[in-house]
């Protein structure tokens, strides 16, 4: 086999593997969406039904009109949005400031601080549930969305600091020094030089924080007492009962639950590329 044919064969094999991985990742999402529009006789069957032959909006309409646990579905959607967006805004701000301090300054305990961040990442969330519950109750934030935001910020902050530290360290100090020579203050340099160049990392951190807070189940279930304060993952559990599981409603609710995540990603991903070249100094 000549080198050109071998190269084409390797490229075809790589493309085939990429397509298989894509199909493997997308199939559960497709099955969720298609099941939400299937009739019950197609859901509860032993036959493989890849497409809904009897297309119906009954499950989606029932979730939107009847709600869950006596509350409209939009109540849970609103609570999840408040927790997720609050986590992104507060967590990203703290992570960026901490990452800048760690990457730009040398101080006593810096290495120990970074090692502590790694150790915290290794601890399972379930192991932190009881102490965090006691602290939240002591702070008077039990059955309060603010308590969930505080918890999620604490859980996502170590990852955010580690990721943003790499982006901040990659920005040459000469760019900041040039701005100082031109008379810019430290705050102006941070806002107009460093921040645009770190924007891609900030977007990636925001996506991780948003998805983590949006999909949280255990803390929202434990820290919220009233059903009106539940988030979407907790509301989803009401469709699992002792007498059966309402798979149509589960898939419909899950489909609605993924829409804000997709919308958030489409909103922030445009900033990722623009942040790569913004703020650079012209030669």
């Amino acid at each position: 086999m000549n080198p050109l044919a071998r190269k084409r064969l390797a490229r075809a094999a790589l493309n085939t593997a990429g397509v298989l991985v894509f199909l493997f990742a997308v199939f559960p999402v497709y099955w969720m969406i298609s099941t939400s529009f299937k009739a019950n006789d197609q859901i509860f069957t032993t036959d493989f039904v890849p497409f809904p032959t009897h297309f119906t909006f009954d499950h989606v309409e029932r979730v939107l009109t009847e709600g869950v646990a006596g509350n409209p579905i939009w109540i849970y959607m609103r609570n999840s949005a408040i927790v997720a967006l609050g986590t992104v805004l507060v967590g990203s701000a703290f992570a960026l400031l901490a990452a800048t301090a760690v990457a730009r300054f040398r101080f006593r305990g810096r290495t120990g601080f970074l090692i502590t961040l790694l150790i915290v990442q290794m601890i399972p969330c379930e192991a932190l549930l009881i102490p965090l519950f006691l602290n939240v109750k002591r702070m008077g934030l039990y059955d309060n969305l603010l308590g969930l935001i505080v918890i999620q910020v604490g859980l996502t902050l170590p990852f955010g600091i580690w990721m943003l530290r790499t982006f901040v360290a990659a920005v040459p100090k000469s760019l900041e020094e040039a701005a100082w020579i031109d008379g810019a203050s430290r705050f102006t340099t941070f806002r107009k030089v460093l921040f645009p160049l770190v924007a891609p990392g900030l977007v990636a951190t925001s996506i991780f924080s948003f998805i983590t807070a949006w999909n949280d189940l255990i803390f929202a279930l434990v820290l919220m007492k009233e059903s009106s304060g539940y988030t979407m993952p907790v509301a989803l559990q009401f469709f699992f009962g002792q007498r059966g599981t309402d798979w149509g409603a589960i898939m419909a609710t899950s489909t609605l639950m993924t829409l804000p995540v997709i919308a958030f990603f489409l909103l922030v991903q445009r900033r990722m590329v623009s942040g790569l070249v913004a703020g650079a100094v012209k030669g």
Side-chain angles (χ1 to χ4, degrees):
M1 182 181 295
N2 59 62
L4 181 59
R6 189 180 304 166
K7 185 177 181 180
R8 289 178 177 176
L9 182 60
R11 181 178 299 177
L14 184 62
N15 292 337
T16 303
V19 171
L20 292 177
V21 171
F22 173 78
L23 293 176
F24 180 79
V26 170
F27 180 76
V29 180
Y30 163 75
W31 192 260
M32 174 189 70
I33 297 175
S34 63
T35 304
S36 63
F37 297 108
K38 291 178 182 178
N40 286 328
D41 58 345
Q42 291 184 309
I43 296 177
F44 300 98
T45 179
T46 57
D47 299 329
F48 180 71
V49 184
F51 307 102
T53 55
H54 303 292
F55 201 84
T56 177
F57 285 95
D58 290 344
H59 305 302
V60 177
E61 183 179 359
R62 181 157 49 87
V63 169
L64 294 177
T65 55
E66 297 180 6
V68 183
N71 297 306
I73 193 66
W74 305 114
I75 296 295
Y76 308 109
M77 190 84 73
R78 181 203 63 187
N79 295 337
S80 293
I82 291 174
V83 174
L85 293 176
T87 301
V88 169
L89 294 176
V90 179
S92 298
F94 280 117
L96 180 57
L97 294 176
T100 303
V102 171
R104 283 289 186 259
F105 302 103
R106 297 294 182 268
F107 51 89
R108 181 177 299 178
R110 175 176 173 271
T111 303
F113 174 73
L114 294 175
I115 294 175
T116 302
L117 292 180
L118 285 177
I119 295 175
V120 170
Q121 286 290 94
M122 298 177 186
I123 301 176
C125 295
E126 292 79 6
L128 302 174
L129 182 60
I130 294 178
L132 288 177
F133 171 79
L134 295 176
N135 287 328
V136 166
K137 200 165 186 180
R138 191 176 298 113
M139 295 166 59
L141 297 178
Y142 177 67
D143 198 24
N144 193 321
L145 293 178
L146 182 58
L148 284 179
I149 295 176
V150 172
I151 294 296
Q152 293 302 323
V153 168
L155 294 176
T156 58
L157 196 56
F159 174 83
I161 295 175
W162 262 103
M163 174 169 284
L164 290 176
R165 170 181 170 270
T166 304
F167 279 84
V168 174
V171 177
K173 282 188 176 182
S174 58
L175 296 179
E176 300 177 63
E177 293 171 354
W180 295 338
I181 293 175
D182 290 339
S185 63
R186 286 189 176 272
F187 177 75
T188 303
T189 303
F190 176 83
R191 182 170 59 89
K192 293 187 176 182
V193 177
L194 184 63
F195 180 78
L197 294 174
V198 182
L202 200 60
V203 169
T205 305
S206 299
I207 293 174
F208 170 79
S209 300
F210 186 91
I211 294 177
T212 301
W214 183 268
N215 292 333
D216 172 65
L217 169 65
I218 184 170
F219 288 104
L221 182 62
V222 172
L223 297 180
M224 303 304 296
K225 181 174 63 174
E226 300 294 333
S227 61
S228 59
Y230 287 155
T231 56
M232 285 294 290
V234 181
L236 199 62
Q237 304 303 307
F238 285 96
F239 295 111
F240 294 91
Q242 294 180 348
R243 298 182 178 179
T245 301
D246 192 347
W247 288 110
I250 289 175
M251 296 302 179
T253 306
S254 299
T255 301
L256 294 174
M257 185 177 170
T258 58
L259 296 179
V261 179
I262 297 175
F264 179 80
F265 176 77
L266 295 177
L267 179 65
V268 299
Q269 62 91 21
R270 299 176 183 177
R271 312 291 181 185
M272 187 175 292
V273 178
S274 62
L276 290 173
V277 294
V281 177
K282 294 182 179 180

